[in-house]
Amino acid sequence: MNIYPLKREKKDLNSFTCKSCGETYDEFLMKKEWNVCPKCQYHYPVTAYDRILMITDSGSFSEFDKCLTSVDPLNFPEYKDKLISDKKNTSLNDGVITGEAFIGGYPVVIGVMDSRFRMGSMGSAVGEKITRSIEESLKTRKPLILFSASGGARMQEGILSLMQMAKTSAALEQLNHEKILFVSVLTNPTMGGVSASFASLGDINIAEPQALIGFAGKRIIEQTIREELPENFQTSEFLLEHGQLDMVVKRSELKQALSIILKIHHLNFRECL
Amino acid sequence: MNLQELIKLENHIAELKEMSTNHHLDLTEVLNNLEQKANEIRNHLNENMKVWDKIKLCRIQQRPTTLDYIHHIFEDFIELHGDRLYGDDPALVSGIAIFDGMPITVLGNQKGKNTKDNIYRRFGMSQPEGYRKALRIMQQANKFNRPIVTFINTPGAFPGREAEERGQSVAIASNLREMASFEVPIICIVIGEGGSGGALALGIGNRIFMLENTFYSVISPEGAAALLWKDATQAKRAAEALKITAKDLMKLGVIDEVIKEPVGGAHNDLLLQSQYIKQTLRKALQELGHLDKGIIRQQRYDKFRKIGEYMDEILG
Ligand SMILES: [Zn+2]
């Protein structure tokens, strides 16, 4: 386990035009709000390390398995090249960062997916890192917090990717059996094999506003049933209404909400008598 | 003895209290006497409320709702939604919170605060999703060893086509069975209408309390009147016959304690009502918290096991 100093990337700041409300402003303003449009509150994706900075107590994060990375088990066309270019573009070794940290003073095991790396898709490496973080949570009995952002299972690793759904869910069964808290935070987008495995299995399922969450893609559904689907179909708000989520929480309030949940969870009622 | 007299007396007491603090006078004895007299009038007024008055009082718009009590009794309430199956029922609210430093799971039927809100909340009548959400949240409480507090205030489970299609009966029945299995203390408080199965689905507790002016019944008085006498206007008569007030249920051995209400009803003093509930809750949690998990479950079973009145006819 290594401790990595977290620094926010400094890039040239350009103007930014919101695709949701059309407003243009300095990109700096967006960064300041953790990629939430200051005008219409649209939640844009954030990188995994930014998420960790935003959510965990300052300096408390220490990373697991930083060097674990994908191979190309099926010799799948173009996969190797794509991995190389994603690594170069993101400085990540795969689609999820895991580690331990404190949130609001409470220790947690945390995993954060990064949708820039192969759309955050889950192959063997992502599945392994998630499973190891669940095992760490089992070992230390620290609550587990997973932030998902994923297009689903990674096609290029075929059936092995599908089986990561089973592997992560089976590990969560052990966590459930041991009565250790798991909070799943679903962010934009959480689809397919990730939505249909660990991301939906939280004791508490939280989503950011307007995140796209679902199993099958909207277009596939429309083609299959030959019906047009409502505007808000498969959004966080849609899922809340349909009973799949406990809460929809704005990015700016997420740390506070997680802190209170952890606070309540850490209390033992028999010790309070 | 009437309400005007009481208000006059209460004002007088307040004046004397102010005087005694301002002028450092010891008026303890006088004040105690007056307080006692005020209490006598309060009791007299409350005791002389007719069943039908109580029912009306339970149903008025200003009657405090589950969320009102949650916000006045608990800290750090986080509302949790959804049954993870089909929907999120706004007629039933649930979540986690802190009471006296203790982690608590709290849930209850939720009526609206006005007409619009009431339509949204379906007047506190749940679909199966509501009961399934309640079950999910209570199972989580059991998993994480958190006591459960439920607030009951519903005319009944929602009568509708979709409710039947999605298994209203199965949803209620599952709650009755599962609540019997939990190894954490469950405390149920009827704060308004205790409408039949829809109320019982949150009502399998180690302790069951009713606010003084509430009722808890197998069927609504209107429903009973319509079925028995084909005449809903006979509801008053049915209400008397069914024995549904807190006092009646106490006599029948169904509930553990009646929580008093401020004079004129809970809505007249939400803060005071919340204080009364807090006191009762505190005492119950202290008693139950010291019991072993298995005993908590057994105690609840024994409580319901012994309800019923019957006789064995000895055959010659
Ligand atoms: Zn915008």
Side-chain angles (χ1 to χ4, degrees), chain A residues 224-263:
Chain A
T224 308
I225 65 173
R226 292 173 196 288
E227 262 176 53
E228 211 174 303
L229 292 163
E231 177 93 22
N232 75 339
F233 189 69
Q234 293 180 325
T235 60
S236 306
E237 293 72 17
F238 176 91
L239 264 77
L240 183 72
E241 200 185 312
H242 287 86
Q244 313 300 310
L245 296 173
D246 287 282
M247 319 161 73
V248 175
V249 181
K250 285 193 278 189
R251 193 167 289 165
S252 58
E253 292 169 3
L254 206 44
K255 181 171 183 176
Q256 168 78 353
L258 288 171
S259 302
I260 295 175
I261 290 167
L262 290 167
K263 175 179 162 188

Side-chain angles (χ1 to χ4, degrees), chain B residues 59-72:
Chain B
R59 291 171 172 171
I60 57 168
Q61 190 90 85
Q62 306 93 298
R63 183 87 185 164
T65 67
T66 293
L67 282 175
D68 291 323
Y69 289 123
I70 287 177
H71 292 305
H72 279 84

Side-chain angles (χ1 to χ4, degrees), chain A residues 18 21 37 40:
Chain A
C18 177
C21 68
C37 172
C40 73

Side-chain angles (χ1 to χ4, degrees), chain B residues 18-275:
Chain B
E18 206 183 311
M19 215 159 84
S20 85
T21 38
N22 289 347
H23 302 281
H24 305 286
L25 293 171
D26 184 15
L27 299 172
T28 320
E29 205 175 319
V30 184
L31 278 168
N32 281 347
N33 279 335
L34 290 175
E35 285 281 11
Q36 201 186 332
K37 199 172 165 205
N39 273 334
E40 274 166 25
I41 303 180
R42 278 187 200 117
N43 289 339
H44 174 81
L45 287 171
N46 278 344
E47 266 164 34
N48 281 283
M49 271 183 72
K50 294 278 184 297
V51 183
W52 195 248
D53 296 328
K54 287 175 187 269
I55 290 170
K56 280 196 294 193
L57 197 62
C58 281
R59 291 171 172 171
I60 57 168
Q61 190 90 85
Q62 306 93 298
R63 183 87 185 164
T65 67
T66 293
L67 282 175
D68 291 323
Y69 289 123
I70 287 177
H71 292 305
H72 279 84
I73 293 171
F74 302 96
E75 288 163 49
D76 283 332
F77 175 63
I78 288 208
E79 186 173 350
L80 301 174
H81 295 270
D83 66 350
R84 300 264 171 102
L85 289 167
Y86 180 85
D88 179 47
D89 188 353
L92 195 146
V93 294
S94 58
I96 51 177
I98 296 177
F99 175 72
D100 274 0
M102 252 179 261
I104 295 280
T105 286
V106 55
L107 56 153
N109 311 108
Q110 182 62 35
K111 291 190 183 183
K113 296 297 287 178
N114 50 52
T115 308
K116 195 179 154 213
D117 193 23
N118 242 331
I119 290 166
Y120 170 65
R121 304 275 186 191
R122 238 178 292 100
F123 296 86
M125 293 183 280
S126 269
Q127 301 274 26
E129 297 83 82
Y131 300 117
R132 288 182 176 130
K133 167 166 71 175
L135 181 57
R136 182 176 78 81
I137 299 295
M138 289 191 285
Q139 281 167 335
Q140 203 171 100
N142 190 51
K143 174 178 173 184
F144 294 129
N145 200 22
R146 277 195 295 264
I148 298 167
V149 176
T150 73
F151 291 107
I152 295 168
N153 185 16
T154 178
F158 187 70
R161 176 185 155 177
E162 291 182 331
E164 299 300 318
E165 287 173 346
R166 300 201 289 271
Q168 188 71 287
S169 297
V170 174
I172 293 172
S174 303
N175 282 18
L176 306 186
R177 186 183 64 195
E178 294 305 310
M179 284 181 88
S181 79
F182 297 150
E183 296 185 324
V184 294
I186 303 177
I187 296 164
C188 310
I189 308 169
V190 181
I191 57 167
E193 297 184 86
S196 191
L200 188 62
L202 299 183
I204 312 301
N206 295 84
R207 294 281 188 279
I208 301 161
F209 304 120
M210 287 174 75
L211 301 195
E212 195 171 359
N213 295 319
T214 62
F215 67 97
Y216 194 177
S217 175
V218 66
I219 186 170
S220 72
E222 291 81 357
L227 284 174
L228 293 172
W229 304 306
K230 314 262 176 277
D231 181 3
T233 61
Q234 298 255 37
K236 258 188 200 178
R237 189 178 149 207
E240 302 274 352
L242 283 165
K243 299 280 179 280
I244 58 179
T245 66
K247 220 181 189 178
D248 292 326
L249 269 76
M250 194 72 201
K251 266 188 219 148
L252 290 165
V254 172
I255 64 165
D256 296 273
E257 199 180 303
V258 179
I259 300 175
K260 67 176 169 179
E261 289 193 24
V263 73
H267 64 288
N268 274 349
D269 197 339
L270 175 57
L271 277 177
L272 183 62
Q273 185 68 75
S274 302
Q275 283 304 327

Side-chain angles (χ1 to χ4, degrees), chain A residues 208-222:
Chain A
E208 287 194 327
Q210 289 175 280
L212 185 68
I213 302 163
F215 182 62
K218 187 173 178 179
R219 232 181 322 149
I220 294 177
I221 299 174
E222 280 180 332

Side-chain angles (χ1 to χ4, degrees), chain A residues 23-211:
Chain A
E23 187 84 357
T24 299
Y25 38 76
D26 199 352
E27 199 183 358
F28 169 76
L29 281 172
M30 268 280 288
K31 286 272 171 204
K32 216 181 78 180
E33 302 290 327
W34 300 107
N35 284 4
V36 176
C37 172
K39 181 145 185 266
C40 73
Q41 293 288 303
Y42 186 82
H43 285 51
Y44 286 91
V46 282
T47 68
Y49 283 117
D50 270 353
R51 176 70 74 181
I52 286 163
L53 260 183
M54 165 200 327
I55 292 295
T56 62
D57 297 349
S58 170
S60 72
F61 179 70
S62 116
E63 189 170 345
F64 303 150
D65 306 312
K66 187 178 167 76
C67 298
L68 211 141
T69 186
S70 296
V71 293
D72 182 9
L74 308 184
N75 226 339
F76 199 91
E78 297 155 44
Y79 185 38
K80 278 196 192 76
D81 293 340
K82 283 179 174 162
L83 286 173
I84 291 167
S85 80
D86 278 2
K87 279 185 192 180
K88 205 175 125 227
N89 293 336
T90 62
S91 338
L92 298 170
N93 278 325
D94 220 296
V96 67
I97 301 297
T98 58
E100 57 190 352
F102 286 82
I103 298 175
Y106 300 98
V108 296
V109 173
I110 185 169
V112 182
M113 301 184 88
D114 195 314
S115 62
R116 295 172 307 161
F117 196 101
R118 298 282 82 227
M119 289 291 292
S121 61
M122 175 162 67
S124 304
V126 169
E128 181 66 20
K129 285 181 84 170
I130 300 265
T131 306
R132 286 189 189 184
S133 68
I134 297 167
E135 285 166 348
E136 182 64 19
S137 181
L138 265 172
K139 205 173 82 193
T140 58
R141 298 197 66 86
K142 290 178 189 171
L144 173 71
I145 318 260
L146 294 178
F147 285 79
S148 49
S150 174
R154 192 173 295 175
M155 281 176 294
Q156 294 90 339
E157 293 184 28
I159 192 71
L160 297 179
S161 292
L162 187 78
M163 292 303 149
Q164 302 310 308
M165 294 167 65
K167 180 163 111 184
T168 53
S169 301
L172 282 175
E173 190 283 322
Q174 295 193 2
L175 207 65
N176 183 49
H177 187 257
E178 285 299 314
K179 303 181 179 184
I180 297 165
L181 177 68
F182 167 37
V183 179
S184 174
V185 186
L186 299 90
T187 71
N188 192 25
T190 299
M191 294 296 293
V194 166
S195 155
S197 63
F198 67 85
S200 290
L201 295 174
D203 292 302
I204 297 178
N205 287 346
I206 301 176
E208 287 194 327
Q210 289 175 280

